[in-house]
Amino acid sequence: MEDMRALGYGLGQQYFDERDYRGAIRALRPVMEETPDDVGTRLLLARAYYHAALLKPAEEHLLEVIQREPTEYYAHLMLARTLERQSRADEAGKHRRIAAALTGDDELLKPHRI
């Protein structure tokens, strides 16, 4: 079973790297269902949703990552970008500030240009 999860994750990563975000989602969803506590898989799935412009599922998975790993700066940054794409800049600002505080990088405070 572990081999199948690794294969699914690897396939999802390959699709993501090829910018086939919907293919990545299809490959990663079963892996996520089998291992819901795996933050790395959940974060990659959230990124695929974001790039596929499926912002609500991206937001949901990013919130789950942050709940499990509150110091995962990249999840905060991606959540800020996801919220910005939904015209929710005030909510995004909080997560940009957290990402900047976690990394010490004030450049993260600047809104992402889409």
Side-chain angles (χ1 to χ4, degrees), residues 1-108:
M1 212 46 159
E2 182 67 31
D3 290 339
M4 291 304 289
R5 283 194 302 267
L7 182 63
Y9 182 86
L11 189 58
Q13 182 70 59
Q14 181 179 343
Y15 282 134
F16 186 89
D17 291 345
E18 294 170 354
R19 297 185 175 169
D20 179 357
Y21 303 117
R22 291 185 185 258
I25 291 165
R26 283 190 303 275
L28 292 168
R29 264 195 308 223
V31 177
M32 189 77 273
E33 289 170 6
E34 284 187 42
T35 55
D37 295 334
D38 184 346
V39 171
T41 300
R42 190 176 293 277
L43 186 56
L44 182 58
L45 180 58
R47 291 174 63 204
Y49 278 124
Y50 171 85
H51 287 292
L54 298 167
L55 302 178
K56 196 62 180 163
E59 179 182 350
E60 291 168 3
H61 283 285
L62 290 165
L63 287 169
E64 185 67 31
V65 169
I66 290 168
Q67 181 180 345
R68 294 174 190 279
E69 294 288 335
T71 59
E72 176 57 63
Y73 94 92
Y74 194 69
H76 285 282
L77 180 60
M78 285 302 304
L79 182 55
R81 290 178 177 173
T82 301
L83 294 169
E84 288 165 355
R85 286 181 72 181
Q86 296 177 72
S87 300
R88 295 163 59 191
D90 290 343
E91 293 173 73
K94 169 188 168 187
H95 293 284
R96 284 195 170 281
R97 289 189 297 278
I98 293 170
L102 288 170
T103 62
D105 184 356
D106 288 343
E107 289 293 312
L108 298 179

